[in-house]
Amino acid sequence: MEDTTQQQDQPLALGAAATALGVALTVAAPATPAEAATAAGAGGYAADARAATNAQRVDHGRTRVGKNGCLQRKAVQQAERMARAGRMWHQDLQRVLRDCDMRVVGENVAQGYRSGKATVDRGWMRSAGHRQNILEPDFRSMGLAARKGTGGRWYVAQVFGAR
């Protein structure tokens, strides 16, 4: 039997996208096996990821990002869609831009991490595109949601914005 304990916080996949005046950037890391079980519920998972995001921003001399109701709804909708489908993808960021009345938005998505902190610290911060979204000085607001899919795998959507 294979020992998977060292793989627990490795992602199955990551994705980052940003849009500024209609320009999109997508970055994806190669898939690796992961075990995605956690005792925390979706609220605890998302709260941990939100705290880890703001800790990274402060550690790098950036201001904390606050909550935004529209961006939060977009993050929840995306996390729920990915969990139901059992796969990860980016939502239409032009729609987020328009619906949330933002001048720039960015999105990080992930699947397969055991905790919100691991998603940020061991996943997104180790990937140039995701890290760029997290540390973008213009971003002032964020929505973040996590949902469990089939088999207990977590799907996470983090949506940033600036007016």
Side-chain angles (χ1 to χ4, degrees):
M1 175 173 243
E2 183 179 313
D3 178 13
T4 60
T5 57
Q6 293 180 354
Q7 298 174 4
Q8 290 178 345
D9 288 326
Q10 295 299 314
L12 289 177
L14 297 168
T19 195
L21 305 173
V23 177
L25 165 70
T26 302
V27 177
T32 59
E35 181 180 312
T38 183
Y45 190 109
D48 288 347
R50 181 178 301 279
T53 296
N54 275 321
Q56 288 289 349
R57 286 181 63 88
V58 168
D59 287 350
H60 290 85
R62 308 300 194 274
T63 59
R64 294 174 182 271
V65 287
K67 294 181 182 179
N68 174 282
C70 184
L71 296 176
Q72 182 62 29
R73 285 187 297 279
K74 296 296 186 180
V76 168
Q77 291 167 356
Q78 184 63 10
E80 287 175 348
R81 286 189 295 253
M82 293 187 306
R84 275 194 309 269
R87 66 182 182 85
M88 187 184 73
W89 71 91
H90 288 288
Q91 62 187 304
D92 179 355
L93 293 181
Q94 291 298 322
R95 184 174 182 157
V96 175
L97 200 67
R98 183 185 65 242
D99 291 354
C100 296
D101 192 30
M102 297 284 166
R103 68 176 170 78
V104 61
V105 298
E107 178 178 63
N108 290 339
V109 294
Q111 67 177 358
Y113 283 93
R114 288 177 20 157
S115 71
K117 183 169 175 37
T119 300
V120 174
D121 295 345
R122 295 187 187 128
W124 291 333
M125 287 303 289
R126 293 182 180 176
S127 164
H130 302 95
R131 181 184 178 92
Q132 181 178 347
N133 278 344
I134 289 170
L135 299 180
E136 173 55 52
D138 286 345
F139 288 150
R140 297 287 190 248
S141 302
M142 176 179 64
L144 199 147
R147 295 294 186 268
K148 273 191 179 180
T150 306
R153 178 175 297 148
W154 284 105
Y155 293 84
V156 188
Q158 180 180 51
V159 185
F160 294 99
R163 294 190 193 269

